[in-house]
Amino acid sequence: MNATQAYEKLCTHSKETAYLGSVIGLLHWDGRTYIPPKGHGHRAEQLAFLAKIYHRMATNPKIGELLAAMEGWEKLGDPLSVEAVNVREWNRLYKRAVKIPERLAVELARASAEGQAAWEKARPLSDWGSFQPYLEHLVALKKEQAEALGYESEPYDPLLDYYEVGEKARNLERIFDRLRAGLVQLLDRIKGSSRKPDASIRHRGFPLPDQEVFAKEVARRIGYDLDGGRLDVSAHPFTSGIGPGDVRITTRYDEHSFNASFFAVIHEAGHGIYHQGLPLEHWGLPFCRPVSLGINESQSRMWENFVARSSAFWRHFYPEAQKRFAALQDVSLEDFCLSVNEVSPSLVRVEADEVTYNLHILLRFELEILLMRNELEVEDLPEAWNHKMEKYFGLTPPDHAQGMMQDVHWSSGSIGYFPTYTLGNLYAAQFFRAAEKDLGNMDDLMERGDFPNLLGWLREKIHSRGTRYAPRDLVKTVTGEDPNPQYLIDYLSRKYGELYGVG
Protein backbone atom coordinates (compact mmCIF):
# COMPACT_ATOMS: atom_id res chain seq x y z
CA MET A 1 0.00 0.00 0.00
CA ASN A 2 1.43 3.39 -0.99
CA ALA A 3 1.22 6.58 1.05
CA THR A 4 -1.65 8.05 -0.98
CA GLN A 5 -3.78 4.96 -0.45
CA ALA A 6 -2.97 4.93 3.26
CA TYR A 7 -3.99 8.58 3.54
CA GLU A 8 -7.29 7.95 1.78
CA LYS A 9 -8.06 5.03 4.09
CA LEU A 10 -7.34 7.16 7.13
CA CYS A 11 -9.60 9.89 5.76
CA THR A 12 -12.43 7.38 5.49
CA HIS A 13 -11.81 6.03 8.98
CA SER A 14 -11.57 9.56 10.40
CA LYS A 15 -14.91 10.59 8.90
CA GLU A 16 -16.63 7.45 10.17
CA THR A 17 -15.27 8.14 13.66
CA ALA A 18 -16.44 11.75 13.37
CA TYR A 19 -19.96 10.63 12.48
CA LEU A 20 -20.04 8.52 15.63
CA GLY A 21 -18.69 11.44 17.64
CA SER A 22 -21.44 13.61 16.18
CA VAL A 23 -24.09 11.15 17.36
CA ILE A 24 -22.54 11.09 20.82
CA GLY A 25 -22.57 14.90 20.83
CA LEU A 26 -26.25 14.93 19.93
CA LEU A 27 -27.07 12.56 22.78
CA HIS A 28 -25.13 14.79 25.18
CA TRP A 29 -27.02 17.86 23.92
CA ASP A 30 -30.37 16.13 24.39
CA GLY A 31 -29.29 14.96 27.84
CA ARG A 32 -28.80 18.57 28.91
CA THR A 33 -31.92 20.00 27.27
CA TYR A 34 -34.99 17.86 26.55
CA ILE A 35 -34.44 14.38 27.97
CA PRO A 36 -37.15 13.28 30.46
CA PRO A 37 -35.83 13.15 34.03
CA LYS A 38 -36.28 9.39 34.16
CA GLY A 39 -34.25 8.88 30.99
CA HIS A 40 -30.81 9.73 32.39
CA GLY A 41 -29.97 6.20 33.51
CA HIS A 42 -30.61 4.75 30.07
CA ARG A 43 -28.75 7.65 28.44
CA ALA A 44 -25.66 6.91 30.56
CA GLU A 45 -25.67 3.33 29.28
CA GLN A 46 -26.14 4.48 25.68
CA LEU A 47 -23.16 6.81 25.98
CA ALA A 48 -21.04 4.16 27.68
CA PHE A 49 -21.79 1.72 24.85
CA LEU A 50 -20.99 4.27 22.16
CA ALA A 51 -17.81 5.27 23.99
CA LYS A 52 -16.67 1.65 23.78
CA ILE A 53 -17.22 1.61 20.01
CA TYR A 54 -15.55 5.02 19.62
CA HIS A 55 -12.54 3.95 21.66
CA ARG A 56 -12.13 0.79 19.59
CA MET A 57 -12.24 2.83 16.40
CA ALA A 58 -9.75 5.36 17.76
CA THR A 59 -7.31 2.67 18.89
CA ASN A 60 -7.58 0.32 15.92
CA PRO A 61 -4.05 -1.02 15.27
CA LYS A 62 -4.57 -0.43 11.54
CA ILE A 63 -4.29 3.31 12.24
CA GLY A 64 -0.71 2.79 13.35
CA GLU A 65 0.02 0.71 10.24
CA LEU A 66 -1.45 3.35 7.94
CA LEU A 67 0.47 6.13 9.66
CA ALA A 68 3.69 4.14 9.24
CA ALA A 69 2.94 3.74 5.53
CA MET A 70 2.97 7.53 5.12
CA GLU A 71 6.41 8.12 6.60
CA GLY A 72 8.50 10.11 4.13
CA TRP A 73 5.48 10.97 1.95
CA GLU A 74 6.32 14.01 -0.16
CA LYS A 75 3.03 15.72 0.69
CA LEU A 76 4.17 15.95 4.30
CA GLY A 77 7.10 18.16 3.30
CA ASP A 78 5.05 21.29 4.01
CA PRO A 79 4.07 20.96 7.69
CA LEU A 80 1.19 23.43 7.19
CA SER A 81 -0.48 21.57 4.30
CA VAL A 82 -3.87 20.01 4.94
CA GLU A 83 -2.37 16.54 4.53
CA ALA A 84 0.49 17.21 6.95
CA VAL A 85 -1.84 18.72 9.54
CA ASN A 86 -4.19 15.74 9.36
CA VAL A 87 -1.33 13.24 9.68
CA ARG A 88 0.19 15.20 12.57
CA GLU A 89 -3.11 15.20 14.43
CA TRP A 90 -3.88 11.56 13.65
CA ASN A 91 -0.50 10.63 15.10
CA ARG A 92 -1.07 12.71 18.23
CA LEU A 93 -4.60 11.49 18.84
CA TYR A 94 -3.76 7.84 18.17
CA LYS A 95 -0.78 7.84 20.52
CA ARG A 96 -2.95 9.35 23.23
CA ALA A 97 -5.94 7.07 22.66
CA VAL A 98 -3.97 3.81 22.86
CA LYS A 99 -2.75 4.75 26.34
CA ILE A 100 -6.30 4.67 27.70
CA PRO A 101 -7.70 1.18 28.44
CA GLU A 102 -11.12 0.49 26.98
CA ARG A 103 -12.51 -0.14 30.46
CA LEU A 104 -11.42 3.33 31.58
CA ALA A 105 -12.79 5.04 28.46
CA VAL A 106 -16.19 3.38 28.97
CA GLU A 107 -16.29 4.12 32.68
CA LEU A 108 -15.39 7.77 32.11
CA ALA A 109 -18.25 8.13 29.63
CA ARG A 110 -20.72 6.48 31.98
CA ALA A 111 -19.54 8.44 35.03
CA SER A 112 -19.70 11.71 33.10
CA ALA A 113 -23.32 11.14 32.06
CA GLU A 114 -24.32 10.01 35.55
CA GLY A 115 -22.43 12.89 37.17
CA GLN A 116 -24.12 15.54 35.04
CA ALA A 117 -27.55 14.08 35.72
CA ALA A 118 -26.82 13.97 39.46
CA TRP A 119 -25.54 17.55 39.41
CA GLU A 120 -28.60 18.87 37.57
CA LYS A 121 -30.82 17.30 40.22
CA ALA A 122 -28.69 18.20 43.26
CA ARG A 123 -27.57 21.73 42.39
CA PRO A 124 -30.97 23.48 42.72
CA LEU A 125 -31.33 21.83 46.14
CA SER A 126 -27.74 22.62 47.14
CA ASP A 127 -27.51 18.91 47.96
CA TRP A 128 -23.76 18.29 48.26
CA GLY A 129 -24.29 15.00 50.09
CA SER A 130 -26.00 13.30 47.15
CA PHE A 131 -23.57 14.71 44.56
CA GLN A 132 -20.33 14.05 46.44
CA PRO A 133 -20.07 10.29 45.63
CA TYR A 134 -20.39 11.00 41.89
CA LEU A 135 -17.65 13.61 42.02
CA GLU A 136 -15.39 11.34 44.08
CA HIS A 137 -15.76 8.63 41.44
CA LEU A 138 -15.04 11.06 38.61
CA VAL A 139 -11.94 12.52 40.27
CA ALA A 140 -10.61 9.01 40.90
CA LEU A 141 -11.10 8.17 37.23
CA LYS A 142 -9.37 11.40 36.11
CA LYS A 143 -6.38 10.55 38.29
CA GLU A 144 -6.26 7.12 36.68
CA GLN A 145 -6.49 8.76 33.28
CA ALA A 146 -3.58 11.10 34.05
CA GLU A 147 -1.42 8.17 35.13
CA ALA A 148 -2.29 6.24 31.99
CA LEU A 149 -1.36 9.18 29.78
CA GLY A 150 1.83 9.93 31.67
CA TYR A 151 3.45 13.23 32.55
CA GLU A 152 6.85 14.73 33.30
CA SER A 153 6.18 16.55 36.54
CA GLU A 154 2.53 17.54 36.99
CA PRO A 155 -0.44 15.09 36.87
CA TYR A 156 -2.60 18.03 35.84
CA ASP A 157 -0.73 18.52 32.56
CA PRO A 158 -2.09 15.55 30.53
CA LEU A 159 -5.65 16.57 31.41
CA LEU A 160 -4.96 20.20 30.48
CA ASP A 161 -3.53 18.99 27.17
CA TYR A 162 -6.95 17.61 26.18
CA TYR A 163 -8.24 21.18 26.04
CA GLU A 164 -5.15 23.28 25.28
CA VAL A 165 -2.61 21.28 23.27
CA GLY A 166 0.93 21.66 24.53
CA GLU A 167 0.05 23.86 27.50
CA LYS A 168 1.54 23.26 30.95
CA ALA A 169 0.36 24.21 34.43
CA ARG A 170 3.72 25.91 35.02
CA ASN A 171 3.08 28.31 32.11
CA LEU A 172 -0.41 29.07 33.36
CA GLU A 173 0.85 29.92 36.82
CA ARG A 174 3.15 32.57 35.32
CA ILE A 175 0.30 34.03 33.27
CA PHE A 176 -2.05 34.09 36.27
CA ASP A 177 0.57 35.76 38.45
CA ARG A 178 1.08 38.55 35.94
CA LEU A 179 -2.64 39.03 35.39
CA ARG A 180 -3.35 39.04 39.10
CA ALA A 181 -0.92 41.88 39.69
CA GLY A 182 -2.45 44.04 36.95
CA LEU A 183 -6.03 43.30 37.97
CA VAL A 184 -5.45 44.04 41.65
CA GLN A 185 -4.09 47.48 40.74
CA LEU A 186 -7.11 48.17 38.52
CA LEU A 187 -9.54 46.96 41.19
CA ASP A 188 -7.98 49.29 43.73
CA ARG A 189 -8.54 52.26 41.40
CA ILE A 190 -12.15 51.24 40.71
CA LYS A 191 -12.89 50.89 44.43
CA GLY A 192 -11.77 54.47 44.90
CA SER A 193 -14.08 55.82 42.20
CA SER A 194 -16.99 58.06 43.13
CA ARG A 195 -19.07 56.57 40.29
CA LYS A 196 -21.45 53.92 41.56
CA PRO A 197 -23.43 51.87 39.01
CA ASP A 198 -27.14 51.39 39.60
CA ALA A 199 -27.33 47.61 39.80
CA SER A 200 -31.13 47.71 39.94
CA ILE A 201 -31.24 48.66 36.25
CA ARG A 202 -30.26 45.18 35.09
CA HIS A 203 -32.45 43.48 37.69
CA ARG A 204 -35.76 45.02 36.72
CA GLY A 205 -38.47 42.98 35.04
CA PHE A 206 -37.40 41.62 31.64
CA PRO A 207 -40.12 39.30 30.28
CA LEU A 208 -38.61 36.00 29.19
CA PRO A 209 -40.20 35.90 25.70
CA ASP A 210 -38.80 39.37 24.99
CA GLN A 211 -35.37 38.34 26.25
CA GLU A 212 -35.33 35.39 23.88
CA VAL A 213 -36.45 37.40 20.85
CA PHE A 214 -33.99 40.22 21.48
CA ALA A 215 -30.99 37.98 22.23
CA LYS A 216 -31.69 35.77 19.24
CA GLU A 217 -31.92 38.76 16.92
CA VAL A 218 -28.66 40.24 18.18
CA ALA A 219 -26.92 36.85 17.83
CA ARG A 220 -28.14 36.63 14.25
CA ARG A 221 -26.90 40.11 13.38
CA ILE A 222 -23.41 39.55 14.72
CA GLY A 223 -23.11 36.42 12.57
CA TYR A 224 -24.67 33.36 14.21
CA ASP A 225 -26.52 31.47 11.46
CA LEU A 226 -29.83 30.37 12.93
CA ASP A 227 -30.62 28.33 9.82
CA GLY A 228 -27.68 26.18 10.90
CA GLY A 229 -28.24 26.41 14.63
CA ARG A 230 -30.63 26.51 17.55
CA LEU A 231 -31.09 28.43 20.80
CA ASP A 232 -32.49 26.36 23.67
CA VAL A 233 -32.59 26.35 27.47
CA SER A 234 -30.29 24.34 29.77
CA ALA A 235 -29.15 24.37 33.38
CA HIS A 236 -25.77 25.73 32.25
CA PRO A 237 -25.21 27.51 28.90
CA PHE A 238 -23.17 25.53 26.37
CA THR A 239 -22.49 25.03 22.66
CA SER A 240 -22.61 21.78 20.69
CA GLY A 241 -21.03 21.60 17.25
CA ILE A 242 -22.97 18.59 16.00
CA GLY A 243 -21.82 18.88 12.38
CA PRO A 244 -22.07 21.01 9.25
CA GLY A 245 -25.28 23.01 9.36
CA ASP A 246 -26.00 22.01 12.96
CA VAL A 247 -24.36 24.08 15.70
CA ARG A 248 -26.55 24.44 18.79
CA ILE A 249 -26.33 26.91 21.68
CA THR A 250 -28.22 27.21 24.95
CA THR A 251 -28.79 29.76 27.69
CA ARG A 252 -30.77 30.08 30.92
CA TYR A 253 -33.25 32.87 31.59
CA ASP A 254 -33.99 34.96 34.66
CA GLU A 255 -36.79 37.51 34.45
CA HIS A 256 -34.93 39.75 36.90
CA SER A 257 -31.46 39.54 35.39
CA PHE A 258 -30.74 41.01 31.98
CA ASN A 259 -27.06 40.06 32.06
CA ALA A 260 -27.55 36.39 32.91
CA SER A 261 -29.20 35.36 29.67
CA PHE A 262 -28.28 38.06 27.16
CA PHE A 263 -24.53 37.85 27.57
CA ALA A 264 -24.71 34.06 27.83
CA VAL A 265 -26.42 33.98 24.43
CA ILE A 266 -23.79 36.23 22.86
CA HIS A 267 -21.02 34.20 24.51
CA GLU A 268 -22.36 30.91 23.16
CA ALA A 269 -23.12 32.52 19.79
CA GLY A 270 -19.40 33.37 19.64
CA HIS A 271 -18.60 29.68 20.01
CA GLY A 272 -21.24 28.85 17.42
CA ILE A 273 -19.87 31.40 14.94
CA TYR A 274 -16.44 29.81 15.26
CA HIS A 275 -17.80 26.32 14.61
CA GLN A 276 -19.81 27.57 11.64
CA GLY A 277 -16.70 29.21 10.19
CA LEU A 278 -14.41 26.18 10.28
CA PRO A 279 -13.25 24.77 6.90
CA LEU A 280 -16.30 22.52 6.58
CA GLU A 281 -15.15 21.05 3.26
CA HIS A 282 -12.75 19.07 5.46
CA TRP A 283 -15.34 18.07 8.06
CA GLY A 284 -14.56 14.74 9.68
CA LEU A 285 -10.81 15.30 9.38
CA PRO A 286 -8.61 16.74 12.12
CA PHE A 287 -8.00 19.88 10.04
CA CYS A 288 -11.65 20.92 10.52
CA ARG A 289 -11.68 21.28 14.28
CA PRO A 290 -11.29 24.13 16.74
CA VAL A 291 -7.58 24.26 17.47
CA SER A 292 -8.12 24.42 21.23
CA LEU A 293 -10.60 25.45 23.86
CA GLY A 294 -8.56 28.56 24.62
CA ILE A 295 -8.81 29.72 20.98
CA ASN A 296 -12.47 28.68 20.93
CA GLU A 297 -13.05 30.65 24.11
CA SER A 298 -11.31 33.69 22.64
CA GLN A 299 -14.07 33.86 20.04
CA SER A 300 -16.90 33.71 22.55
CA ARG A 301 -15.25 36.15 24.95
CA MET A 302 -14.50 38.58 22.13
CA TRP A 303 -18.13 38.77 21.03
CA GLU A 304 -19.49 38.76 24.58
CA ASN A 305 -17.12 41.30 26.15
CA PHE A 306 -15.09 43.24 23.61
CA VAL A 307 -18.14 43.69 21.40
CA ALA A 308 -21.42 43.23 23.29
CA ARG A 309 -20.38 44.91 26.55
CA SER A 310 -18.91 47.94 24.78
CA SER A 311 -20.57 51.35 24.80
CA ALA A 312 -20.25 51.50 21.01
CA PHE A 313 -22.26 48.28 20.64
CA TRP A 314 -25.06 49.70 22.78
CA ARG A 315 -25.07 53.00 20.94
CA HIS A 316 -26.26 50.85 18.04
CA PHE A 317 -28.60 48.44 19.85
CA TYR A 318 -29.89 50.41 22.84
CA PRO A 319 -32.81 52.11 21.03
CA GLU A 320 -34.08 48.64 20.09
CA ALA A 321 -33.59 47.41 23.65
CA GLN A 322 -35.61 50.32 25.00
CA LYS A 323 -38.44 49.55 22.59
CA ARG A 324 -38.38 45.89 23.59
CA PHE A 325 -38.07 46.35 27.39
CA ALA A 326 -40.26 48.84 29.24
CA ALA A 327 -37.87 48.63 32.21
CA LEU A 328 -35.22 50.52 30.21
CA GLN A 329 -37.31 53.35 28.82
CA ASP A 330 -36.33 55.79 31.57
CA VAL A 331 -32.67 54.66 31.72
CA SER A 332 -29.95 56.61 29.94
CA LEU A 333 -27.44 54.82 27.71
CA GLU A 334 -24.59 55.87 30.00
CA ASP A 335 -26.30 54.50 33.12
CA PHE A 336 -27.20 51.25 31.33
CA CYS A 337 -23.64 50.65 30.10
CA LEU A 338 -22.20 51.32 33.54
CA SER A 339 -24.74 48.96 35.13
CA VAL A 340 -24.12 46.00 32.81
CA ASN A 341 -20.37 46.49 33.28
CA GLU A 342 -20.44 46.95 37.05
CA VAL A 343 -17.31 45.71 38.79
CA SER A 344 -18.25 43.98 42.00
CA PRO A 345 -17.11 40.76 43.68
CA SER A 346 -19.65 38.04 42.97
CA LEU A 347 -20.32 34.48 44.04
CA VAL A 348 -21.12 33.07 40.61
CA ARG A 349 -18.52 32.87 37.85
CA VAL A 350 -20.89 33.19 34.89
CA GLU A 351 -22.27 36.41 36.36
CA ALA A 352 -18.86 37.90 37.14
CA ASP A 353 -17.63 41.13 35.59
CA GLU A 354 -14.62 41.23 33.28
CA VAL A 355 -12.23 42.55 35.91
CA THR A 356 -12.87 39.92 38.59
CA TYR A 357 -13.69 37.00 36.26
CA ASN A 358 -10.18 35.62 36.10
CA LEU A 359 -10.03 35.38 39.90
CA HIS A 360 -12.86 32.83 39.63
CA ILE A 361 -10.73 30.84 37.20
CA LEU A 362 -7.68 31.08 39.43
CA LEU A 363 -9.69 29.66 42.33
CA ARG A 364 -10.82 26.64 40.30
CA PHE A 365 -7.39 26.09 38.76
CA GLU A 366 -5.75 25.98 42.18
CA LEU A 367 -8.31 23.52 43.55
CA GLU A 368 -8.01 21.23 40.53
CA ILE A 369 -4.24 21.05 40.88
CA LEU A 370 -4.56 20.22 44.58
CA LEU A 371 -7.04 17.44 43.76
CA MET A 372 -4.75 15.93 41.15
CA ARG A 373 -1.73 16.10 43.49
CA ASN A 374 -3.71 14.28 46.22
CA GLU A 375 -3.29 17.34 48.45
CA LEU A 376 -7.05 17.88 48.66
CA GLU A 377 -9.86 15.35 49.04
CA VAL A 378 -13.21 15.75 47.33
CA GLU A 379 -15.02 15.70 50.67
CA ASP A 380 -13.04 18.82 51.67
CA LEU A 381 -13.83 20.78 48.49
CA PRO A 382 -16.66 22.91 49.91
CA GLU A 383 -14.50 24.13 52.80
CA ALA A 384 -11.52 24.79 50.50
CA TRP A 385 -13.78 26.59 48.02
CA ASN A 386 -15.27 28.84 50.69
CA HIS A 387 -11.83 29.65 52.07
CA LYS A 388 -10.60 30.81 48.65
CA MET A 389 -13.81 32.75 47.99
CA GLU A 390 -13.17 34.66 51.19
CA LYS A 391 -9.53 35.18 50.24
CA TYR A 392 -10.16 36.44 46.69
CA PHE A 393 -13.58 38.08 46.96
CA GLY A 394 -14.31 38.64 50.63
CA LEU A 395 -17.45 36.54 50.20
CA THR A 396 -18.73 33.29 51.68
CA PRO A 397 -21.29 31.33 49.64
CA PRO A 398 -24.56 30.90 51.54
CA ASP A 399 -25.04 27.44 50.03
CA HIS A 400 -23.32 24.92 47.74
CA ALA A 401 -25.40 25.91 44.71
CA GLN A 402 -23.72 29.31 44.76
CA GLY A 403 -20.45 27.73 45.84
CA MET A 404 -18.54 24.77 44.50
CA MET A 405 -21.60 23.17 42.86
CA GLN A 406 -22.33 26.14 40.60
CA ASP A 407 -20.47 24.87 37.49
CA VAL A 408 -21.30 21.84 35.37
CA HIS A 409 -17.68 21.10 34.47
CA TRP A 410 -16.59 18.90 37.35
CA SER A 411 -19.81 16.88 37.15
CA SER A 412 -18.71 15.71 33.70
CA GLY A 413 -15.08 15.18 34.70
CA SER A 414 -13.81 18.21 32.78
CA ILE A 415 -10.75 18.81 34.93
CA GLY A 416 -8.27 21.04 33.09
CA TYR A 417 -11.01 22.94 31.28
CA PHE A 418 -11.30 26.05 33.46
CA PRO A 419 -7.90 27.65 32.63
CA THR A 420 -8.91 27.91 28.98
CA TYR A 421 -11.38 30.66 29.95
CA THR A 422 -8.57 32.93 31.03
CA LEU A 423 -6.47 31.94 28.03
CA GLY A 424 -9.50 32.86 25.92
CA ASN A 425 -9.63 36.30 27.52
CA LEU A 426 -5.93 36.77 26.93
CA TYR A 427 -6.08 35.63 23.28
CA ALA A 428 -9.22 37.71 22.64
CA ALA A 429 -7.53 40.93 23.77
CA GLN A 430 -4.55 40.26 21.53
CA PHE A 431 -6.69 39.29 18.53
CA PHE A 432 -8.99 42.28 18.99
CA ARG A 433 -6.04 44.67 18.98
CA ALA A 434 -4.71 43.05 15.81
CA ALA A 435 -8.14 43.33 14.17
CA GLU A 436 -8.30 47.02 15.03
CA LYS A 437 -4.93 47.59 13.35
CA ASP A 438 -6.29 46.00 10.17
CA LEU A 439 -9.90 47.26 10.20
CA GLY A 440 -9.64 50.67 11.82
CA ASN A 441 -11.47 52.01 14.85
CA MET A 442 -13.65 49.20 16.18
CA ASP A 443 -15.97 51.57 18.05
CA ASP A 444 -16.91 53.24 14.77
CA LEU A 445 -17.68 49.85 13.18
CA MET A 446 -19.81 48.65 16.09
CA GLU A 447 -21.71 51.91 16.49
CA ARG A 448 -22.99 51.65 12.93
CA GLY A 449 -23.67 47.90 13.26
CA ASP A 450 -20.89 46.86 10.92
CA PHE A 451 -20.21 43.43 12.41
CA PRO A 452 -19.49 41.62 9.10
CA ASN A 453 -16.08 43.32 8.92
CA LEU A 454 -14.91 41.81 12.20
CA LEU A 455 -16.56 38.50 11.36
CA GLY A 456 -14.77 38.37 8.01
CA TRP A 457 -11.44 39.11 9.68
CA LEU A 458 -11.98 36.29 12.18
CA ARG A 459 -13.03 33.92 9.40
CA GLU A 460 -9.84 34.62 7.46
CA LYS A 461 -7.34 34.80 10.30
CA ILE A 462 -8.66 32.14 12.70
CA HIS A 463 -11.72 30.10 11.75
CA SER A 464 -10.72 28.95 8.26
CA ARG A 465 -7.28 27.86 9.46
CA GLY A 466 -8.72 25.01 11.52
CA THR A 467 -5.91 23.18 13.33
CA ARG A 468 -3.17 24.31 10.95
CA TYR A 469 -1.34 25.97 13.84
CA ALA A 470 -0.93 25.05 17.50
CA PRO A 471 -2.64 27.58 19.79
CA ARG A 472 0.44 29.63 20.64
CA ASP A 473 1.64 29.50 17.03
CA LEU A 474 -1.73 30.73 15.80
CA VAL A 475 -1.59 33.70 18.16
CA LYS A 476 1.89 34.58 16.90
CA THR A 477 0.90 34.14 13.25
CA VAL A 478 -2.16 36.39 13.61
CA THR A 479 -0.71 39.05 15.92
CA GLY A 480 3.01 38.92 15.27
CA GLU A 481 3.98 38.03 18.82
CA ASP A 482 3.65 35.34 21.48
CA PRO A 483 0.64 35.33 23.82
CA ASN A 484 0.97 38.38 26.02
CA PRO A 485 -1.32 39.08 29.01
CA GLN A 486 -0.47 42.78 28.85
CA TYR A 487 -3.04 43.26 26.07
CA LEU A 488 -5.80 42.08 28.39
CA ILE A 489 -4.56 44.24 31.26
CA ASP A 490 -4.36 47.29 28.97
CA TYR A 491 -7.83 46.67 27.52
CA LEU A 492 -9.45 46.34 30.93
CA SER A 493 -7.58 49.36 32.32
CA ARG A 494 -8.63 51.52 29.39
CA LYS A 495 -12.28 50.41 29.33
CA TYR A 496 -12.95 50.51 33.06
CA GLY A 497 -10.82 53.57 33.53
CA GLU A 498 -13.25 55.40 31.25
CA LEU A 499 -16.39 53.85 32.77
CA TYR A 500 -15.34 54.62 36.33
CA GLY A 501 -13.40 57.80 35.62
CA VAL A 502 -10.18 56.40 37.04
CA GLY A 503 -8.01 56.40 33.93
Side-chain angles (χ1 to χ4, degrees):
M1 182 185 303
N2 62 38
T4 300
Q5 292 171 323
Y7 181 79
E8 291 174 350
K9 284 185 175 292
L10 269 177
C11 284
T12 299
H13 181 272
S14 180
K15 289 178 181 179
E16 290 174 347
T17 306
Y19 282 125
L20 178 57
S22 179
V23 172
I24 293 172
L26 187 59
L27 288 176
H28 275 296
W29 171 85
D30 177 70
R32 294 172 65 181
T33 52
Y34 293 113
I35 191 171
K38 293 182 179 180
H40 286 292
H42 180 62
R43 179 57 45 83
E45 294 304 319
Q46 288 177 308
L47 290 168
F49 174 71
L50 292 176
K52 180 189 296 185
I53 298 174
Y54 189 92
H55 186 264
R56 289 177 179 176
M57 294 180 71
T59 58
N60 190 325
K62 290 184 178 179
I63 297 175
E65 297 172 8
L66 293 171
L67 288 169
M70 288 185 288
E71 291 183 7
W73 189 25
E74 66 274 8
K75 287 197 174 184
L76 305 184
D78 176 6
L80 298 181
S81 69
V82 172
E83 292 84 0
V85 171
N86 284 331
V87 172
R88 179 196 76 204
E89 290 300 294
W90 281 328
N91 263 301
R92 183 179 67 83
L93 295 170
Y94 178 68
K95 288 177 181 178
R96 186 174 71 185
V98 296
K99 293 179 179 179
I100 304 297
E102 180 182 290
R103 173 201 57 79
L104 179 57
V106 172
E107 189 55 32
L108 278 166
R110 179 183 290 112
S112 173
E114 291 175 343
Q116 286 187 57
W119 173 82
E120 289 185 8
K121 182 179 180 180
R123 179 182 177 271
L125 303 174
S126 194
D127 185 1
W128 165 242
S130 68
F131 177 61
Q132 179 182 335
Y134 292 92
L135 186 55
E136 288 175 334
H137 183 46
L138 277 162
V139 170
L141 291 174
K142 298 306 287 188
K143 291 178 180 178
E144 185 179 351
Q145 184 182 28
E147 294 300 322
L149 291 168
Y151 51 88
E152 293 179 6
S153 59
E154 188 68 67
Y156 189 76
D157 287 344
L159 303 184
L160 174 63
D161 187 73
Y162 268 97
Y163 306 110
E164 201 69 14
V165 178
E167 196 55 81
K168 303 290 185 184
R170 196 176 311 149
N171 294 334
L172 297 183
E173 288 172 332
R174 286 195 292 267
I175 290 173
F176 282 141
D177 287 345
R178 187 171 171 187
L179 274 177
R180 185 194 296 110
L183 294 176
V184 167
Q185 292 178 10
L186 176 57
L187 275 171
D188 286 342
R189 296 202 304 273
I190 291 173
K191 289 176 182 178
S193 172
S194 60
R195 295 184 186 177
K196 303 301 178 185
D198 182 355
S200 69
I201 291 172
R202 61 182 188 274
H203 294 300
R204 298 180 179 186
F206 297 92
L208 303 190
D210 289 332
Q211 286 195 52
E212 180 178 3
V213 170
F214 182 70
K216 187 179 290 188
E217 174 61 16
V218 173
R220 182 190 67 79
R221 283 160 63 179
I222 66 172
Y224 179 57
D225 181 5
L226 282 158
D227 287 333
R230 292 180 56 91
L231 173 60
D232 294 282
V233 176
S234 64
H236 192 101
F238 70 96
T239 297
S240 288
I242 305 299
D246 191 355
V247 178
R248 307 180 183 200
I249 66 175
T250 71
T251 191
R252 57 189 179 199
Y253 295 103
D254 181 342
E255 185 175 3
H256 298 288
S257 177
F258 178 84
N259 283 23
S261 63
F262 179 80
F263 291 110
V265 170
I266 303 306
H267 179 99
E268 300 305 334
H271 284 304
I273 288 168
Y274 181 24
H275 282 269
Q276 291 174 338
L278 291 169
L280 296 177
E281 66 273 19
H282 299 289
W283 189 87
L285 305 179
F287 189 82
C288 180
R289 292 177 183 170
V291 63
S292 75
L293 269 182
I295 297 297
N296 201 335
E297 191 66 21
S298 76
Q299 303 307 285
S300 61
R301 302 297 282 183
M302 184 181 296
W303 287 108
E304 176 195 358
N305 292 330
F306 292 74
V307 175
R309 289 185 190 268
S310 72
S311 297
F313 175 91
W314 287 107
R315 284 196 291 273
H316 179 74
F317 277 110
Y318 196 56
E320 296 179 41
Q322 286 184 305
K323 290 179 182 178
R324 174 67 58 180
F325 302 110
L328 297 178
Q329 290 177 2
D330 64 343
V331 178
S332 71
L333 173 62
E334 182 180 9
D335 287 344
F336 174 80
C337 288
L338 187 57
S339 181
V340 298
N341 284 290
E342 180 181 12
V343 175
S344 178
S346 63
L347 291 167
V348 180
R349 174 186 63 86
V350 296
E351 298 174 6
D353 59 83
E354 290 182 89
V355 178
T356 62
Y357 182 90
N358 291 300
L359 294 176
H360 286 271
I361 301 305
L362 179 57
L363 180 155
R364 290 153 173 79
F365 171 65
E366 291 175 350
L367 292 178
E368 287 185 339
I369 286 186
L370 291 174
L371 283 171
M372 294 306 298
R373 289 176 179 168
N374 294 315
E375 295 176 9
L376 177 68
E377 299 298 326
V378 170
E379 66 179 346
D380 298 322
L381 260 178
E383 181 181 355
W385 180 287
N386 291 353
H387 173 74
K388 287 188 177 292
M389 281 298 298
E390 178 63 34
K391 173 184 175 182
Y392 290 133
F393 301 98
L395 301 172
T396 300
D399 53 41
H400 297 305
Q402 297 178 77
M404 58 80 53
M405 288 180 66
Q406 66 183 258
D407 297 301
V408 70
H409 303 65
W410 288 344
S411 76
S412 64
S414 298
I415 294 176
Y417 190 121
F418 279 118
T420 64
Y421 287 117
T422 286
L423 287 174
N425 288 330
L426 186 155
Y427 297 156
Q430 204 159 332
F431 287 146
F432 198 75
R433 185 70 186 95
E436 191 162 42
K437 288 180 180 178
D438 290 344
L439 301 176
N441 188 287
M442 297 299 289
D443 281 353
D444 291 343
L445 293 176
M446 289 188 285
E447 186 170 353
R448 63 175 183 261
D450 186 357
F451 304 108
N453 258 316
L454 176 58
L455 177 61
W457 188 91
L458 294 170
R459 290 277 193 251
E460 176 190 352
K461 302 290 186 179
I462 299 171
H463 306 172
S464 64
R465 284 172 161 162
T467 57
R468 176 166 278 140
Y469 300 96
R472 286 176 171 262
D473 293 335
L474 178 62
V475 173
K476 189 167 186 176
T477 299
V478 173
T479 70
E481 58 183 296
D482 291 325
N484 183 353
Q486 192 61 45
Y487 284 97
L488 179 58
I489 295 170
D490 290 346
Y491 155 76
L492 292 172
S493 297
R494 183 172 57 252
K495 174 179 177 177
Y496 288 89
E498 293 176 0
L499 283 169
Y500 277 86
V502 293

